Amino acid sequence: MKVMKSKVTDKSAEGQKVDGAEGAMEKPKHKKVKKFRSKVPGVMITQYVEEIPEGKSHPDFTRKPIALTIQEGKFGVFKAIVYGEPTPKVTWNRANGKIDDPQKFQSKYDEATGEHTLEIPKVCTEDADTYKCFATNEYGKAVCTIQLNVIEVGFKKTREIAKSKEEQEALKPGSFRTMLKKRGEVHEQKPLESEEKIWEILMSADKKDYEQICAEYGITNFRGMLTKLAEMKREREVEQAQFIEHISLLKHIEVNADENATFEIDMDLKDASSRIFLYKDGIMVPYTVEMEEEMKHQLKRVGKKFIFTIKNLDPADAGLYSVDVEGVNVFSTDFKIPPVNFAVKIQEVKAEERQDAIFQCVLTAPMAEINWMGKSAPIENNDKFEITVSEDKLIHKLLVKDCQPLDAGIYAAVAGIHSCNAWLVVEVDKNPANKGKKIARKTTQAGGGDLDLEKIAKEQAEKHKKDMEERMAEAKIKAAERGVTDAAAQAEKEAADAAAKAAREASRAAEAKAKAKAEKKAAKLKDAKEKAKAKKKASGGGAAGGGAAGGGAAGAGAAGAGAEGGGVAGDGAAGGGAAGGGAAGVGAAGGGAAGGRAAGVGAAGVGAAGGGAAGVGAAGDGADGDAGSGSEYDDIVVSTDESDEEDGATKTKRVRSRQVVPDTVIDPGVHFTLGLSDVTAIVGDPAELVCKLSKENVDGVWYLNGEEIEPDDVLTMSKDGFFQSLKISKISEDYAGKYKFEADGRKTEAMIVVEDPPRFDPEELNKFSVPIVIKKGQKATFKIPFVGRDPMKIQWYHEGEELSDDTNIKIEHGEGYSQLTLNKLQRKDTGEIKFKLKNEFGTVEAFAKIVVIDKPTPPMGPLEIIEASQNAIEVKWRSPKDDGGCKILNYILERQQIGRNTWKKLGPIGPEAHYKDSDVDHGRRYCYKIRADTEMGTSELMETEDVQAGTKAYAGPPSAPKVVSAFKDCITLTWNPPSNTGGTNILGYNMEKRKKGSNLWSPVNPADDIIKEKEFGVKDVIEGMEYEFRVAAINNSGAGEFGTPSEFVFARDPKKPPGKVIDLKVTDSTYTTLSLGWTKPREEEGVEDEAKGFFVEIRPAECPEWDRCNNNPIIMTSFTVKGMKSMAMYWVRVIATNDGGEGKPQELDNYILAMPPPVRPRFTDQKVKSFMVVQAGNSARFNMNFEASPWPDVTWMKDGMPVSKRVTISNAEGASQLLIPSSERSDTGIYTIMVKNIVGQETFSIEIRVTDEPKPPGPVEVDENVPGTVTVSWSPSPDEKRDDRLHYLVSKRDSSKRTWHTVADHIFNNKFTACNIMPGREYQFRVYAKNDMGSSQPSESPKWEITGKRERFVLDRPESKTCNLERPPKFLVPLKMHTAPQGYECYMSCAVRGDPTPHVTWYRNNISLNTNTNYLISNTCGVCSMLILRVGPKDTGEYKITAENHLGRAECSTKLTVSD
């Protein structure tokens, strides 16, 4: 079965366009439109006017449609009730497709109930979609969105699985945009320019990251950025306050070990139903809240925490991710994916306890740091973990120090969007001697020695370098192509601008020159006339006047354009000269313009030629010419057109000598094929910077922090072919900074970071590591010099515990050293001394050992008596528990004979804890004092118990014999000697046997042939008989008492181990126990014998070792394992055993989870109300009991949305409770509980209606429209609009009866017509408003009366006829069958006739009920009735009624069934 879920296409979401019915209905063109949320959750209202007239209202929903999940082929229906004045028009729409097909979609309206319905008679998978219901009138519209999910069954499932994969591909960002275009919906995408992206990143970034972000995006005005950012944050907080109570703990995007990216937000929404949108680079992306669905982007909500997950990462997922709530941005995070992968992944490491373990990997590209995870938690550098990176940034290592069993687990390395993981297995020390002792720290490392990582990293570096060179070459080619294209485009643009400018200047110059020419010409004509008049007067002045005229012409020409023909001849025409000058001026201007245009194209020398070829000295033309120098226009030819003497124009011809764009190969010159790389060096170590050029033996200059470097004793510069290097033989902090190498205008830069971690001198460290041996009470001093940059944290440890200044502890710190002094040392102070240094660059440790020696502790007992004969006493004891750190040289013994006060010194006896005293008297008792002697002194004494020499002391009983082997003709047994030997050596043993069921013990060995060894084979046995054996020890005094008998053993050949158990299965399970059952294995003679018992073993999934649940074999074929961890995973097996040994284990086929058997959620309440009415202000409580395994997730929703914070949800084992402490009318809705676990889910819905006692209706009016009837009308109750279940009740009273009786009920309108109105009577009506809570106060009508006309009454009395009406009883209406619920009333009735009136008797099971007060029996005009007020189980049975008179008898019967 597959559920076809509708795609979330909520048209009210930001960035989406509304179409269909909503878009088709245009808004009235009013001044202002308001949008707000309805009190009904999930309804959006648009108000078209600012103020709604009194008595009018915008549309809204009284009951909104609810989401449906329905099986394919079933009947689906959406129901809605709306209100508004004027009455709204209701339309329906769907997101994908139309609903105009009347056979598939039917829109209906029920006037009686006011319900608008959209019916889908036969739902199919294509109908799964988002639907909308619109209610519209002239004052506004209300919109509600609902989902239709279709459960698909049958053969279509395979097809839909394939289709779902295609949809997943379509849900990728690029495909998603294409899909939206196909659907005709245009998402309004947030513009995300580069500047806006930077501000989005800064808004959500930590303050410590501001500097890095500014450096990355080139922001230099840091102070201005902070000012603007603070202002933007204040604006953002104001916007967020509309929808969010509080927001905190913004966790930026990270890639976890399962190669999924997640980012988290903690925010408290004001409205739990607020919509949340996810954007990537400004484009909305879809996501799902169902984690089990295969969608790329997912949202998981845990309380106030929102966790976004991006699955199946690829490089296309990089970008800026933003989260909006109702269109307001709350968080942005930049997801960068470096192009890196693992060349060598981390491998499994097996380490011993207290040993260091190392994980290491190699990347395909350099990376400054990667993320390490340990048991799903991030790992950072600390005392437990050390993370290191190689200089080439390709090899990354994680060192786990001092491994403990708790450190075992899965460790992961995450680089970019890729990850790898491996196990750390910590092997616990199983040596029983070390049990309870603190294991010494091991100096070896586990893991890391299998691979040649340096070689692999070198290969990866070369490969990465080659890839970078190829990319740089491609980038250069593309840059060159772009440069040529840009240059050509720029040249064309400049040429067009220059041509336009030159044309404008030439036009202005020509106009000015023409005007000046005309003015000068007029002046010359005037002068010429005056001179002519003067000539007439003076005939002798003509030559001079001509010369003047010529000069004047020349001057005019020069002033006009600077032409060389201004004054050609002394008697030339002044007008011609002027004309020539003017033409020349204009020509010069034209030439300048042409020269300027050519210069714009790239011509050289045009301005010069144009400006000076004809001797025209126009400053403007010369300037234009200079600007265009360097073009291909080199040869300029100047000619004068003689045919155009009037204009006198000089033309310039430009001859192109070569192509506009020359075919040249640009030599890039020297460039770097390998730039400098940053170097991190330790003070005192050498450092080297190397770069590679494209040419050999190129000279260059090195700089440090902008200043040129000169070689000296420390700094040396060298070049070797293509390589240039700078070596620093012994680095110090003075050499830290930015280095630059420059050659032929090209440069490369790198940083040298000088670190000064704490370090020890190797010789001083060796001296410090030498163990110190010191006597008790003296003092020990540890001093070690070190170097490193301050500040430095210095710590001393003794056996893992940090030391501080105390009475006997003194710690001194000096410049470059630290000293620890321990005073008054005791033996217990022996142990490991650790010195630890730490600064910002690293941590280093040094270890030493101190041994405090003292005199030994006393020897230990008990005293073991080897011999206590009449000639000697031989004893043995144990060495001291602590030898004081020195070898034991001697034991010193003293002896006292019991009864005497003196002690005899026996002297030092050597280092052996053994002594034989031969100087004893028979029958005497002796006591010994023993001391241990070392170079540090003599221990305290150990005094022994009394030992008697030469008495009859029998040995104690040996241990019970154990069967070594059993055959049909021999049983071999072994035993342990007695602990009490009686003071002498054990000489041998006697053995006895006894058959099972017998009281007689018989000897096994003859009295004169004692058993010398502690093992014996009994051959005097009968096959098939069962025996037990016992042993007695013999010493010099004789045989002692027999010990405990052995277990019974059969005299038969050994048995074969049994086979595997059969039909092993789990019979029951809980969260802490597991019950098993099985069948005994089959017997196969000579191969597998009968099983005598069984062992049950379990193994947690993460542990490789099996644990035995029962130490002794069980006989039954069932067992319950206890003490299991809830929801843990276990493997289980059973082993059969007998005397022949253990058989092969039988395991369950699959692992077992510690949980009850899976049970699909099921509600256990038999009778649950689906409708509840609550009075406003009271609490509403609803309990649901269910059963499910494993423990399910319980979710409550109201009208398909999460319940509000006012609603309290309490979940317990097998039950859930919904509580509304103080209900309001807005709490009315359909509440749905969903119980879901891994097996399935179950839902149940209850409609809770919150209402109150209704207010009475308005004034009541009475009117007569038809004679004999009265129409009663009234104004509606104020609660009618808020309560769709409100109705009216009408009661009537007339003047004849004076009592009120109901004439109509369940009236849903405001009118009622009363019939049978009699003239002459006075009538009055009351109207009550009723709902689920009860009735209101009545509204009364005025008294109303029809006055009747009195007519004379005439009685026509017919003749009387004798008529006999007597008849026997007969039932006209019989009794009906009845089924009544327990506790309810039951009403039985029937009709009988008869004359005279018959006597009626009721029976139950043939017992008369007429006198029973529990039954209300009546007989009115032949209608016989019986009422049972509270029906109970005792009322079940057959009921019979009899009617009899003197003419006859009639019966009628029925049955009553009482249901639970």
Side-chain angles (χ1 to χ4, degrees), residues 1162-1165 1168 1183-1187 1213-1216 1233:
R1162 183 179 68 87
F1163 296 108
T1164 56
D1165 295 321
V1168 184
N1183 295 309
M1184 282 298 294
N1185 297 317
F1186 57 85
E1187 61 179 16
E1213 185 174 357
S1216 181
I1233 178 175

Side-chain angles (χ1 to χ4, degrees), residues 152-171:
E152 182 184 2
V153 294
F155 64 93
K156 294 183 181 179
K157 184 176 180 181
T158 306
R159 181 192 66 187
E160 288 300 326
I161 290 174
K163 183 179 178 181
S164 65
K165 293 181 179 178
E166 296 175 1
E167 290 177 353
Q168 290 301 318
E169 293 297 326
L171 286 177

Side-chain angles (χ1 to χ4, degrees), residues 82-243:
V82 300
Y83 68 90
E85 185 61 34
T87 303
K89 179 183 177 182
V90 175
T91 56
W92 300 84
N93 182 28
R94 62 179 293 186
N96 301 316
K98 300 180 180 180
I99 58 174
D100 53 1
D101 186 355
Q103 294 182 354
K104 291 188 65 177
F105 302 96
Q106 300 171 7
S107 180
K108 298 181 180 180
Y109 173 63
D110 188 348
E111 294 184 359
T113 60
E115 283 186 343
H116 295 266
T117 58
L118 176 65
E119 297 179 354
I120 309 174
K122 191 173 182 180
V123 176
C124 60
T125 55
E126 289 77 9
D127 296 332
D129 203 347
T130 300
Y131 290 78
K132 280 198 172 184
C133 181
F134 302 91
T136 311
N137 66 8
E138 59 182 294
Y139 298 107
K141 69 177 178 183
V143 186
C144 177
T145 305
I146 58 271
Q147 308 288 331
L148 174 60
N149 301 321
V150 181
I151 303 174
E152 182 184 2
V153 294
F155 64 93
K156 294 183 181 179
K157 184 176 180 181
T158 306
R159 181 192 66 187
E160 288 300 326
I161 290 174
K163 183 179 178 181
S164 65
K165 293 181 179 178
E166 296 175 1
E167 290 177 353
Q168 290 301 318
E169 293 297 326
L171 286 177
K172 292 183 178 179
S175 300
F176 185 66
R177 293 193 291 271
T178 305
M179 180 183 67
L180 291 177
K181 292 178 182 178
K182 290 180 180 179
R183 284 166 46 182
E185 295 178 8
V186 180
H187 279 262
E188 181 185 342
Q189 299 175 0
K190 297 191 299 185
L192 196 62
E193 302 297 336
S194 58
E195 182 178 354
E196 183 179 350
K197 177 179 179 181
I198 297 171
W199 289 113
E200 288 287 348
I201 295 173
L202 287 170
M203 291 281 281
S204 301
D206 295 333
K207 292 183 178 179
K208 62 183 179 65
D209 298 329
Y210 286 172
E211 186 174 352
Q212 178 184 351
I213 296 171
C214 291
E216 181 178 353
Y217 291 98
I219 299 175
T220 55
N221 187 1
F222 195 71
R223 187 183 300 275
M225 181 276 294
L226 291 176
T227 303
K228 183 177 180 181
L229 184 62
E231 182 180 353
M232 293 177 68
K233 282 189 174 182
R234 286 193 295 270
E235 295 175 356
R236 177 70 59 82
E237 289 173 357
V238 172
E239 294 176 353
Q240 292 176 353
Q242 302 175 22
F243 308 102

Side-chain angles (χ1 to χ4, degrees), residues 496-514 585-600 607 618-627:
D497 294 343
K501 181 179 178 182
R504 289 193 299 271
E505 292 178 353
S507 176
R508 288 194 296 270
E511 290 177 0
K513 290 179 179 179
V586 176
R597 183 179 184 279
D621 295 343
D624 290 342
D626 293 340

